[in-house]
Amino acid sequence: MFRYCTVLFFMLMGALGLSQETEKDSVQDYYVRFEGDSILHSSIALDEVYLFGRLEFADRKEKLRYYILRRKTLKVYPYAKLAAERLEEMNDSLAKIKKRRHRKKYTKTVQKYVEGEFSSELKKLTRTEGQILIKLIYRQTGKTAFNLVKELRNGWRAFWYNTTAKAFKISIKEEFHPERIHEDYLIEDILQRAFASNKLQRQKSVLDYDYAQLSNKWKKDTDKKN
């Protein structure tokens, strides 16, 4: 009996050891080295991928409105992206300039450059295109066009710009809120679809919101109305 138990004991221990060895061998660490990088990585960081639902419209009028908005949004987005890039470049340079008069001189130089870069093209925009651009500038910088002008120029100049814009029914104090304004959500939807299809070059918004959550919210609101 003792001999039988001893044999059984070693058989169990052997089986347990084999199980442990098999479990150990079944888990292998794989490392990846990217081209030009000497560091091994155990994982690969991937960009967010959105699964877009099929576009649905209540009627032909709503469909037409969306496609007109898409055409205008795709047209003006590159200007908002460029404005954000220029602002970031200017702020980085200003951080290195200590003397106030040198900072002022540099700011004026940038102003003239940006105005020359933008003015001729922006004059060709329609009123609605201009208003979408104002919203997208806020999306990319977190600041209204009014505040940007105020920072780069002065309060009076910003007031004058706003008054002039009002004559054409454009507010340069307009912000971008896709979480509570449906048209802003449609603009965000248009951008995300354009980024995914490589029609536009992605530039992350400085605003804090999640596109997937926005889509769920507006879908629920639409379902409630229907």
Side-chain angles (χ1 to χ4, degrees), residues 79-93:
Y79 297 118
K81 178 177 178 293
L82 187 60
E85 291 170 350
R86 294 291 181 268
L87 181 65
E88 184 177 0
E89 291 170 5
M90 189 189 74
N91 288 335
D92 288 344
S93 297

Side-chain angles (χ1 to χ4, degrees), residues 97-111:
I97 301 174
K98 303 302 179 183
K99 291 187 178 181
R100 183 176 178 181
R101 61 188 180 88
H102 290 166
R103 289 167 62 89
K104 191 173 182 180
K105 183 178 180 181
Y106 173 76
T107 302
K108 284 185 177 181
T109 302
V110 173
Q111 288 169 11

Side-chain angles (χ1 to χ4, degrees), residues 1 3 6 8 18 35 41 85 92 103 121 144 157 162 165 169 172 174 188 195 204 209-210:
M1 184 68 180
R3 183 180 177 184
T6 303
L8 182 60
L18 179 62
E35 185 177 354
H41 301 269
E85 291 170 350
D92 288 344
R103 289 167 62 89
E121 291 298 321
T144 63
R157 176 72 67 165
N162 194 50
K169 296 182 179 179
I172 63 172
E174 195 77 23
E188 184 64 29
F195 295 152
K204 190 175 181 180
Y209 57 81
D210 182 83

